[in-house]
Amino acid sequence: MSKKWVRSLVLAASIGVASAGLSVPAHAADLQMQVNGTAVAFEYGKPYLESGRSLFPLRDLLVALGVENDDKHIVWDGDKQSVTVIKGEIRIELAVGQKAFYRNGQLFTVLDVPAANVDGRVYLPARAVAEALGYEVGFDADTGTVTAAKPSSGEPDKPAQQPVVLSLSVEEAIASLYGSSVEELSAEQTETVNGLLAMDRAVLAGKLVDMYDMTFEYGQTNMEIVNFVKQFWSAGLQAIADYSIGQASSDQAGYKVNKLLAALPGEASFSTLADLLLKHPNAAVRYNIAYIISASKAEAALPALADSFATEKDAQVLGNIMAGALQAAGADSAKIAVIFEKYVSLGDASKDNFSGVLQSVLSDDADKKAAWRKFLGDKAESGNTDAADLLKTANLK
């Protein structure tokens, strides 16, 4: 398979650390670097060439890019062999021997070569560092100068977008990554991941949702999509949710997004789904979300459902949310208390809705009925009029 992306020269850099390393390759005396037009003076290492790649000392690069030169902003963890870079609201993380490069907790890119410790200094591709800090990177072959500059917009804290051409279809690219993780990518797969990550997020989200097969939930394509998002694109969860909201008139698009988010493991995907329950403008989609959350059996299901009591305006959706919350609470008095607290804050119409749902849910479950009767009875005896009213309207007396 041929190279899949049109890419620029890969650069690299290093940071001084107190640990053993490899022998230093031959230096390239004429290799230079400029940041915003100013030449960089190398104090923490010298530029060198290895296997056709240009490498630079990371600490010099970071300081030139505006990172403060102290242990609070350039943090070395000897036990983990990792470097953390902090500039304003940006946090960059990487580890020696690994290709994954993270920005603010999300995979930003997969390095062509992993970070390496060379004579007590960590070397890694500088392009990722500069772009993560909002710079554009280039190379002047005539002068042997690497350049890093802020884009003309001057917007800080915004990664520069490099032109990347995807010659595979998204479907083929996603399929080629199935079963792989960042740590085991081939060079070709690394290019594939970086090409996908460089795409417009809204466009990529739309393509993934379009690909998702509602009729074959555990089909190969769906598994490939889940693997890609889980392993390489956790930052895309919000883009996928935003796509659903943008396609508010399409029940089908909303259902696909709900299923996709539910298939992804972890708190982030569940939180994204719960947030959609509060924000999605399509009542049918919210109804579906309530069902998925209540069926998940997750500990977070009850608070997610209960939190939407006060905001849900559609009576049918609210009824489904309430039924799901009641099922999630079971006969647990502490969970019943969570629901009752939300019930107290409702308007009269929503309270009537809850009363009807409660009566229906408890009709064929003696344990839940007994638990609610005791909870409300104790509250009523202490003078709580809401509890007394609910005992009556739900026929629990």
Side-chain angles (χ1 to χ4, degrees):
M1 192 177 291
S2 60
K3 291 292 183 181
K4 304 302 180 185
W5 312 101
V6 176
R7 301 176 61 86
S8 301
L9 178 70
V10 177
L11 314 174
S14 75
I15 176 174
V17 295
S19 61
L22 307 173
S23 61
V24 178
H27 293 292
D30 57 348
L31 198 59
Q32 305 174 60
M33 187 169 197
Q34 292 184 357
V35 175
N36 290 329
T38 301
V40 177
F42 302 108
E43 300 178 14
Y44 298 96
K46 296 181 179 180
Y48 72 88
L49 294 174
E50 184 177 313
S51 299
R53 299 193 182 278
S54 305
L55 294 94
F56 287 87
L58 180 59
R59 188 175 291 272
D60 290 324
L61 173 67
L62 292 175
V63 173
L65 294 173
V67 178
E68 293 188 45
N69 189 8
D70 58 39
D71 292 340
K72 293 182 179 179
H73 297 87
I74 304 174
V75 184
W76 167 251
D77 187 325
D79 293 334
K80 296 181 179 179
Q81 291 284 293
S82 65
V83 178
T84 301
V85 179
I86 300 171
K87 181 186 177 187
E89 296 181 356
I90 297 177
R91 182 184 182 90
I92 296 170
E93 297 169 295
L94 55 103
V96 170
Q98 298 185 15
K99 292 184 176 182
F101 183 98
Y102 295 91
R103 181 183 189 271
N104 293 342
Q106 307 289 354
L107 183 67
F108 182 73
T109 192
V110 179
L111 304 175
D112 292 298
V113 292
N117 191 332
V118 180
D119 268 5
R121 301 185 185 278
V122 175
Y123 292 81
L124 73 160
R127 175 174 297 282
V129 177
E131 290 180 353
L133 294 174
Y135 288 78
E136 293 179 344
V137 181
F139 181 69
D140 186 334
D142 293 334
T143 63
T145 302
V146 176
T147 61
K150 282 286 187 181
S152 57
S153 63
E155 295 183 24
D157 302 349
K158 204 169 187 179
Q161 292 294 322
Q162 294 298 318
V164 179
V165 177
L166 177 60
S167 57
L168 284 175
S169 68
V170 172
E171 291 86 347
E172 291 171 325
I174 297 295
S176 72
L177 298 170
Y178 181 63
S180 299
S181 63
V182 173
E183 292 75 18
E184 56 192 14
L185 292 177
S186 66
E188 194 167 42
Q189 287 177 317
T190 295
E191 292 183 345
T192 300
V193 171
N194 286 334
L196 290 168
L197 293 177
M199 289 182 64
D200 180 89
R201 289 188 174 188
V203 172
L204 181 55
K207 288 184 178 295
L208 293 181
V209 175
D210 287 344
M211 288 166 55
Y212 195 85
D213 186 356
M214 287 282 288
T215 64
F216 197 11
E217 186 174 349
Y218 297 103
Q220 183 68 25
T221 298
N222 290 359
M223 293 171 68
E224 291 166 356
I225 295 170
V226 168
N227 178 77
F228 169 70
V229 178
K230 174 185 174 183
Q231 295 289 343
F232 311 110
W233 205 45
S234 58
L237 290 174
Q238 190 57 53
I240 292 170
D242 290 343
Y243 176 82
S244 180
I245 292 175
Q247 299 289 317
S249 61
S250 170
D251 295 356
Q252 186 75 358
Y255 298 157
K256 282 186 173 186
V257 168
N258 296 346
K259 282 284 191 179
L260 174 54
L261 291 174
L264 290 162
E267 294 180 4
S269 54
F270 188 91
S271 296
T272 303
L273 194 61
D275 190 53
L276 276 179
L277 179 60
L278 298 173
K279 296 179 179 179
H280 204 288
N282 187 318
V285 174
R286 296 197 306 277
Y287 188 96
N288 180 250
I289 295 173
Y291 171 78
I292 289 175
I293 289 178
S294 61
S296 71
K297 308 300 182 183
E299 279 297 316
L302 176 58
L305 293 166
D307 284 347
S308 64
F309 278 17
T311 59
E312 183 54 60
K313 304 303 181 186
D314 185 281
Q316 187 175 8
V317 176
L318 181 57
N320 196 37
I321 290 171
M322 289 173 170
L326 290 170
Q327 294 292 354
D332 188 318
S333 60
K335 294 179 179 179
I336 290 173
V338 172
I339 295 177
F340 183 72
E341 181 181 354
K342 299 295 183 180
Y343 164 82
V344 169
S345 65
L346 296 175
D348 290 341
S350 295
K351 283 183 175 179
D352 289 342
N353 192 347
F354 181 84
S355 176
V357 172
L358 179 61
Q359 186 175 357
S360 175
V361 169
L362 301 183
S363 63
D364 59 354
D365 194 315
D367 290 340
K368 291 179 185 175
K369 190 171 186 178
W372 272 92
R373 180 183 285 122
K374 183 179 187 310
F375 177 87
L376 294 175
D378 291 345
K379 288 281 187 182
E381 285 183 9
S382 63
N384 189 302
T385 57
D386 285 300
D389 290 343
L390 188 55
L391 270 172
K392 180 179 179 180
T393 57
N395 291 324
L396 292 175
K397 278 191 172 183

